[in-house]
């Protein structure tokens, strides 16, 4: 006879999605292990839109996570579809302002909140060799890195895959990943300016081969990122000199970047930013959340929000399923599908607004496909 599982659920991934799932499960009385490998791409900064306050409140962690250390974001600037700069502020947003996050601090506080709610948190620990057992439980190897927990093997009833775009556990369990594009971010941090600006708004500015994003981080550093496709010449901006030259060619972003000093720049880093999703977000003993379930274009500014939403929803669905609710996982899948459909629609609408470079590959790839002419459809005949 197999020993009883040590945990109801193991959550693989200690980012916002994994933490939200662990919080939801722990607050429901489940025994939870949250394993945070800490090996993903370094997170230097990210925005949380105002409505994110509601999800953190639903998780019971709004004050603990947003109380200090982040920079308020009172709106967004964009030069998209024309060279003119347009502003959208949060002055009348019912949920108040947004935030430019100190992302490492944000994640640490979420993990601390999960621990306070009763989850066991294994720092610097990866889930390896997930194996489904004949009795329907999981056997998982936990491998600790330097400073993490010791290697061990655990058993659980359910696994939540919050491992990011790779969706390591879901893919190993037979799910298939689909990508919507090859968008890549080339980014770096600029040193704090000698004269700090009081304007905390983010800025998006498009050019012929992609688009730029910049935001002032709580540390005073400025995040500058260029989004393009890796096969285009513009991707060569990963060289510091070429990155600076392209940055200085912008009309609006260069004005914000110059006070931070552009004489000597560090080599830019690259990070995946493509859209992706799984063909199914749950299976035999597992559920995916966050980027593992669906990763959206960063232009939407929905990354953290979607991670929290899918993590919370996945945790609630797993708890309900373990209580015998046979519809819970299907309902969760429907929520993810609805979010994906809304994102696809918004993605088409936003990219259709940029019409200045229709023949450039980056923009041509993102224009909506024309609807087929029924007169030219195979098997049709003219009236």
């Amino acid at each position: 006879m197999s020993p009883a599982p040590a945990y109801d659920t193991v959550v693989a991934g200690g980012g916002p999605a994994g933490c939200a799932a662990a919080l939801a499960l722990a607050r429901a009385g489940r025994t939870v292990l949250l394993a945070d490998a800490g090996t993903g791409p370094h997170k230097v900064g990210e925005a949380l839109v105002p409505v994110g306050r509601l999800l953190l409140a639903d998780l019971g962690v709004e004050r603990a996570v947003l109380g200090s250390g982040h920079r308020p974001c009172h709106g967004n600037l964009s030069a998209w579809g024309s060279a003119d700069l347009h502003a959208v502020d949060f002055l009348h947003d019912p949920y108040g302002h947004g935030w430019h996050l100190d992302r490492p601090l944000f994640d640490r506080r979420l993990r601390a909140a999960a621990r306070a709610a009763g989850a066991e948190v294994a720092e610097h620990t990866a889930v390896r060799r997930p194996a489904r057992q004949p009795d329907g439980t999981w056997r998982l190897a936990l491998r600790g890195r330097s400073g993490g927990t010791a290697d061990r093997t655990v058993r659980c009833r359910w696994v939540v895959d919050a491992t990011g775009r790779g969706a390591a556990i879901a893919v190993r369990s037979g799910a298939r990943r689909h990508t919507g594009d090859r968008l890549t971010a080339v980014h770096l941090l600029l040193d704090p300016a000698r004269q700090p600006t009081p304007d905390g708004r983010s800025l998006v500015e498009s050019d012929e081969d992609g688009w730029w994003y910049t935001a002032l981080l709580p540390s005073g550093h400025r995040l500058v990122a260029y989004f393009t496709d890796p096969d285009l010449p513009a991707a060569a901006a990963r060289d510091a000199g070429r990155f600076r030259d392209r940055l200085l060619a912008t009309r609006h972003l260069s004005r914000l970047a110059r006070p931070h000093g552009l004489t000597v720049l560090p080599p830019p880093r690259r990070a995946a930013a493509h859209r992706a999703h799984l063909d199914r977000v749950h299976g035999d003993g597992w559920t995916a959340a966050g980027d593992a379930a669906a990763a959206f274009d960063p232009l939407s500014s929905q990354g953290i929000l979607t991670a929290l939403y899918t993590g919370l929803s996945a945790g609630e669905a797993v708890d309900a399923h373990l209580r015998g609710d046979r519809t819970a996982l299907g309902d969760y899948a429907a929520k993810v599908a609805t979010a994906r459909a809304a994102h696809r629609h918004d993605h088409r609408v936003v990219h259709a607004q940029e019409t200045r470079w229709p023949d450039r590959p980056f923009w041509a790839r993102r224009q909506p496909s024309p609807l087929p002419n029924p007169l030219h459809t195979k098997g049709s005949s003219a009236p």
Side-chain angles (χ1 to χ4, degrees):
M1 175 183 254
S2 299
Y7 305 96
D8 290 321
T9 309
V10 168
V11 180
C19 290
L23 274 163
L25 286 158
R27 294 178 68 191
R30 296 293 175 185
T31 53
V32 184
L33 170 67
L34 175 63
D36 174 38
T39 56
H42 180 62
K43 305 292 187 181
V44 293
E46 204 156 348
L48 179 66
V49 294
V51 72
R53 185 194 304 269
L54 282 186
L55 289 172
L56 292 172
D58 287 344
L59 290 164
V61 299
E62 177 192 354
R63 291 187 178 181
V65 173
L66 293 177
S68 63
H70 309 294
R71 181 182 291 272
C73 176
H74 295 286
N76 301 312
L77 300 168
S78 65
W80 189 275
S82 77
D84 298 329
L85 199 59
H86 300 277
V88 175
D89 64 56
F90 298 146
L91 182 63
H92 302 293
D93 194 295
Y95 306 112
H97 60 73
W99 295 266
H100 292 304
L101 299 175
D102 178 331
R103 180 59 192 277
L105 175 65
F106 183 77
D107 287 2
R108 286 197 305 272
R109 286 178 174 172
L110 280 174
R111 289 192 292 272
R115 185 183 288 112
E120 179 183 341
V121 179
E123 302 275 3
H124 306 294
T125 300
V127 175
R128 296 284 187 262
R129 300 191 302 275
R132 199 79 165 122
Q133 302 300 294
D135 63 357
T137 62
W138 287 92
R139 185 175 183 272
L140 307 166
L142 302 183
R143 179 162 298 174
R145 296 193 298 118
S146 175
T149 57
D151 293 355
R152 58 181 169 137
T153 299
V154 300
R155 297 178 68 249
C156 66
R157 300 171 64 188
W158 207 269
V159 176
V160 175
D161 185 347
T163 59
R165 279 181 166 84
I169 294 171
V171 170
R172 187 184 180 105
S173 300
R176 297 182 60 185
R177 292 181 68 250
H178 299 280
T179 57
D181 54 47
R182 300 177 61 197
L183 190 68
T184 297
V186 184
H187 62 91
L188 55 74
L189 285 180
L190 302 179
D191 291 334
R194 291 185 178 181
Q195 299 294 329
T197 174
D199 191 342
R201 293 176 293 181
S202 61
L203 173 94
V204 170
E205 182 173 357
S206 55
D207 72 11
E208 64 269 24
D209 294 314
W211 54 276
W212 290 88
Y213 171 83
T214 188
L216 194 62
L217 302 184
S219 63
H221 293 81
R222 177 169 291 281
L223 172 64
V224 178
Y226 185 60
F227 295 85
T228 188
D229 291 334
D231 63 321
L232 299 181
R238 64 180 179 270
D239 170 82
R242 294 184 182 183
F243 187 93
R244 180 178 58 247
D245 292 344
R246 197 166 192 101
L247 188 160
L248 289 173
T250 62
R251 178 175 181 178
H252 303 288
L253 189 139
S254 59
R255 175 177 53 83
L256 297 177
R258 287 179 189 277
H260 294 264
L262 300 176
T263 304
V264 179
L265 296 181
R269 297 184 176 185
R270 297 186 69 173
H274 59 271
R275 292 177 294 137
H277 69 277
L278 292 175
D279 62 346
R280 50 196 172 100
V281 296
H282 66 89
D284 183 22
W286 63 269
T287 305
D291 281 354
F296 295 161
D297 190 308
L299 186 62
S300 67
S301 298
Q302 300 293 307
I304 298 288
L305 185 70
T306 302
L308 294 171
Y309 173 70
T310 58
L312 170 60
S313 299
E316 292 174 339
V318 170
D319 172 59
H321 178 79
L322 293 177
R323 286 189 283 103
D325 185 344
R326 296 185 178 183
T327 66
L329 295 176
D331 291 344
Y332 169 66
K335 289 181 179 180
V336 176
T338 298
R340 284 189 52 236
H343 173 72
R344 286 196 306 271
H345 173 268
D346 293 345
H347 186 270
R348 288 194 296 267
V349 169
V350 170
H351 284 81
Q353 293 172 0
E354 182 51 88
T355 59
R356 287 178 288 173
W357 305 286
D359 297 328
R360 301 290 290 193
F362 181 88
W363 297 104
R365 292 168 181 173
R366 287 159 176 81
Q367 293 306 309
S369 301
L371 294 174
N373 186 334
L375 298 182
H376 297 158
T377 302
K378 184 177 180 180
S380 66
S381 58

